[in-house]
Amino acid sequence: MTYQSEIAKADALIGGQAHWDGIAPESVARMRVQNRFHTGLDIARYTAKIMRADMAAYDADPANYTQSLGCWHGFIGQQKMISIKKHFGTTKGRYLYLSGWMVAALRSEFGPLPDQSMHEKTSVPALIEELYTFLRQADARELGGLFRDLDKARGEGDEVRAAKLQQQIDGFETHVVPIVADIDAGFGNAEATYLLARKFIEAGACCIQIENQVSDEKQCGHQDGKVTVPHEDFLAKIRAVRYAFLELGVDDGVIVARTDSLGAGLTKQIAFTRAAGDIGDLYNGFLDCESVDPAAIGHGDVLISRDGQLMKPKRLPSNLYQFRAGTGEDRCVLDCITALQNGADLLWIETEKPHIGQIGGMVSRIREVIPNAKLVYNNSPSFNWTLNFRQQVFDAWEKEGRDLSAYDRSKLMSVDYDGTDLGMEADERIRTFQKDSARDAGIFHHLITLPTYHTAALSTDNLARRYFGEEGMLGYVKQVQREEIRQGIACVKHQNMAGSDIGDDHKEYFAGEAALKAGGAHNTMNQFAA
């Protein structure tokens, strides 16, 4: 639909209403173009198709991997997408990630909380809605600027410039992109998961990530004490999310099945088994058990039968059962295969380090059963990337027999190694990690869960140190405002970013010459036009 056709439609509508005096067809067309998404479901359907197309492109060529950054506020998500459009000219392949960790730490009415699903469950769909509100406002703001330029070109009689601006308006790329939204372990039973998934989707989420931990025992994937559930319990929640997508007409909705089994050594339940070798039996086969003499069965002992032999699973005082040590990778592979066979679209394997060989090894095993299996991977700030990759380089060079006398493996974080061959090789591996692991480890989507949490803390620390120190106001001007101006950061005109020009346009639509507009000659934002 072109800008001119929208004007024509509005003109035809308004022309049939004699009492709609003062309603300008072009103003109506502009408002419609600026607000193409009317509901969250419109957004979910639109972005789901984007993800599906991107997944197909990755299957054809792993160089087509996608990326996102976690955002904990609508403004942060908005600025990220504005920056991406400014620097790269397109949002293609760039998404948003919504982290349950950051919601817990930053958005709960209880105050900062650990990542244990104690925050209000509805705070997550509320953030999805907030993110899309800010992205839609970014559309309206950028298009508003194009409309102003169009009016100026027309006023100056510059038909060539006006035609180019109309082409820009017709080809405008929205800031609205897919969100990978974290539903944690589903916040309860399958019905609770279904109800919450509906809220996610109605707010605009086309992609929901769910993990196989016990809801009431949920832990951050990078902390200890994780407890998984039998496959049947997890699959019921995957089906609940799929039903929510289908009920709401988002047929292309994407489900990411996350397994925490690599770092989870505990389960709350012994799985129900119907026959030897079924999924429940396979799950129970990982339990740490010891043989039991029937004559020595103790009071309250829980027993299972394995190959005709009575076995006693190791049970902790917490009433949790323990898996055998060293079974994490096997459990991860089984988790992933069963999830993909029962409705999931993408996988998430939470690992303890960013190691392409480890990740790729598991994906290879999964692809023996599901050839197009692919991952969403957490490039987590919980990893010490510098140390991990310096250790990987050190170990690789040691295996090659290289001289490592200049390096102490126990002190590789030292700044002294920054300019060394080892340090530079490690940095190069970090730089190419996403490209390399997309090719060699089946990773379709790379995300950083908590980056803007850390950038907010770092930038605030730097500003506070300078502003409250000897630099005073220069600490703000030199490190913030001057850089905003020189780097073309749109927020330097913060009134415009907050919508003052959009408001002025609406005032003019509604009141004509009587409009009291904010963007006049005495607006101090004009200082930034130089």
Side-chain angles (χ1 to χ4, degrees):
M1 192 66 65
T2 67
Y3 180 48
Q4 290 301 319
S5 65
E6 283 294 330
I7 295 173
K9 284 171 56 180
D11 188 39
L13 174 64
I14 293 165
Q17 305 291 336
H19 61 290
W20 283 3
D21 185 42
I23 303 295
E26 187 160 11
S27 298
V28 173
R30 290 181 176 187
M31 294 175 80
R32 287 180 170 178
V33 170
Q34 286 174 302
N35 295 281
R36 61 179 286 191
F37 301 105
H38 301 140
T39 68
L41 288 176
D42 290 342
I43 292 171
R45 294 184 186 110
Y46 168 77
T47 53
K49 292 185 184 303
I50 291 174
M51 275 201 77
R52 291 290 178 177
D54 287 347
M55 289 160 66
Y58 174 82
D59 286 340
D61 183 354
N64 296 317
Y65 63 89
T66 56
Q67 300 167 290
S68 64
L69 296 174
C71 300
W72 52 273
H73 191 280
F75 174 74
I76 301 296
Q78 177 199 65
Q79 294 306 298
K80 178 189 132 179
M81 297 317 302
I82 288 174
S83 176
I84 285 170
K85 284 193 70 176
K86 180 182 77 171
H87 291 295
F88 305 104
T90 179
T91 62
K92 182 172 177 55
R94 284 96 176 188
Y95 305 165
L96 293 179
Y97 180 67
L98 190 158
S99 161
W101 191 101
M102 284 208 284
V103 172
L106 298 168
R107 302 298 298 253
S108 173
E109 292 183 10
F110 297 113
L113 293 171
D115 184 20
Q116 296 173 351
S117 292
M118 295 186 290
H119 54 283
E120 306 84 355
K121 62 174 70 175
T122 54
S123 60
V124 188
L127 179 52
I128 296 170
E129 184 175 8
E130 177 184 294
L131 283 161
Y132 280 128
T133 296
F134 273 79
L135 295 183
R136 290 162 67 189
Q137 193 262 9
D139 281 359
R141 173 190 163 275
E142 187 175 335
L143 282 163
L146 291 173
F147 294 142
R148 285 167 182 262
D149 290 344
L150 177 61
D151 290 341
K152 182 179 179 182
R154 287 172 175 173
E156 294 172 350
D158 189 342
E159 294 182 7
V160 174
R161 172 72 174 152
K164 288 182 178 178
L165 285 162
Q166 287 198 174
Q167 287 181 339
Q168 284 183 257
I169 293 166
D170 289 339
F172 179 80
E173 184 178 45
T174 178
H175 295 83
V176 170
V177 297
I179 287 178
V180 179
D182 184 2
I183 202 170
D184 282 2
F187 287 87
N189 60 17
E191 175 69 7
T193 301
Y194 154 76
L195 292 171
L196 184 56
R198 279 180 50 100
K199 290 290 187 183
F200 274 49
I201 300 160
E202 288 168 343
C206 72
C207 179
I208 295 176
Q209 164 212 330
I210 186 166
E211 63 200 58
N212 68 335
Q213 291 192 47
V214 178
S215 288
D216 55 355
E217 303 284 351
K218 184 258 186 308
Q219 294 277 14
C220 173
H222 293 282
Q223 293 188 306
D224 206 354
K226 294 179 289 295
V227 183
T228 63
V229 298
H231 294 91
E232 290 289 1
D233 293 37
F234 187 51
L235 298 179
K237 292 188 176 183
I238 290 176
R239 286 191 287 269
V241 174
R242 180 63 66 201
Y243 272 111
F245 273 126
L246 295 174
E247 178 184 354
L248 294 172
V250 185
D251 298 348
D252 293 322
V254 178
I255 299 174
V256 179
R258 169 176 146 180
T259 173
D260 283 282
S261 289
L262 197 61
L266 303 169
T267 183
K268 197 166 189 176
Q269 296 166 262
I270 296 175
F272 177 72
T273 300
R274 296 173 180 83
D278 67 11
I279 192 63
D281 191 41
L282 292 174
Y283 187 80
N284 292 341
F286 293 115
L287 292 172
D288 192 359
C289 300
E290 57 185 4
S291 300
V292 178
D293 181 348
I297 296 173
H299 181 74
D301 280 351
V302 173
L303 305 176
I304 62 173
S305 172
R306 182 179 291 169
D307 299 325
Q309 186 176 11
L310 280 180
M311 308 287 289
K312 182 170 75 171
K314 290 186 179 178
R315 185 166 55 161
L316 306 180
S318 59
N319 204 34
L320 300 171
Y321 296 93
Q322 185 171 298
F323 289 116
R324 295 195 316 277
T327 61
E329 288 203 6
D330 290 340
R331 285 183 281 125
C332 274
V333 170
L334 182 60
D335 293 344
C336 292
I337 291 170
T338 55
L340 291 175
Q341 289 173 332
N342 288 272
D345 302 292
L346 296 168
L347 302 171
W348 173 315
I349 300 176
E350 195 72 278
T351 65
E352 81 285 1
K353 59 183 179 295
H355 193 289
I356 294 174
Q358 178 196 38
I359 304 161
M362 287 185 281
V363 170
S364 294
R365 293 175 61 189
I366 296 163
R367 285 182 167 177
E368 291 175 5
V369 182
I370 313 287
N372 70 337
K374 46 192 168 286
L375 300 186
V376 170
Y377 188 70
N378 178 8
N379 292 214
S380 176
S382 293
F383 303 144
N384 185 331
W385 286 78
T386 302
L387 181 59
N388 267 290
F389 277 83
R390 287 182 180 181
Q391 288 176 340
Q392 288 180 37
V393 172
F394 184 98
D395 293 343
W397 287 4
E398 185 177 52
K399 194 172 182 179
E400 294 170 9
R402 294 179 59 165
D403 180 12
L404 294 168
S405 59
Y407 305 102
D408 183 343
R409 194 180 189 280
S410 65
K411 298 178 180 178
L412 289 177
M413 268 302 295
S414 172
V415 68
D416 295 337
Y417 294 134
D418 286 1
T420 64
D421 289 344
L422 185 146
M424 290 187 287
E425 170 67 17
D427 282 354
E428 178 61 12
R429 292 191 185 194
I430 294 170
R431 187 186 72 81
T432 64
F433 173 79
Q434 296 189 341
K435 178 182 68 174
D436 295 342
S437 57
R439 181 189 63 239
D440 299 333
I443 298 176
F444 157 72
H445 185 72
H446 283 277
L447 60 91
I448 307 178
T449 44
L450 320 176
T452 53
Y453 178 89
H454 292 279
T455 55
L458 180 61
S459 62
T460 302
D461 180 82
N462 288 333
L463 175 60
R465 174 169 54 86
R466 293 184 171 103
Y467 176 73
F468 293 105
E470 290 297 319
E471 291 184 49
M473 191 58 195
L474 181 61
Y476 172 78
V477 172
K478 185 177 179 181
Q479 302 298 327
V480 181
Q481 189 181 78
R482 194 175 294 169
E483 289 302 310
E484 285 182 303
I485 295 169
R486 291 174 177 173
Q487 294 182 40
I489 305 298
C491 270
V492 72
K493 297 182 179 181
H494 49 257
Q495 306 286 16
N496 167 269
M497 185 57 64
S500 64
D501 288 343
I502 296 172
D504 278 359
D505 291 340
H506 291 172
K507 290 174 185 177
E508 190 169 6
Y509 298 164
F510 306 153
E513 293 182 356
L516 182 63
K517 296 194 289 184
H522 299 293
N523 188 322
T524 57
M525 287 292 103
N526 294 331
Q527 296 172 29
F528 298 102

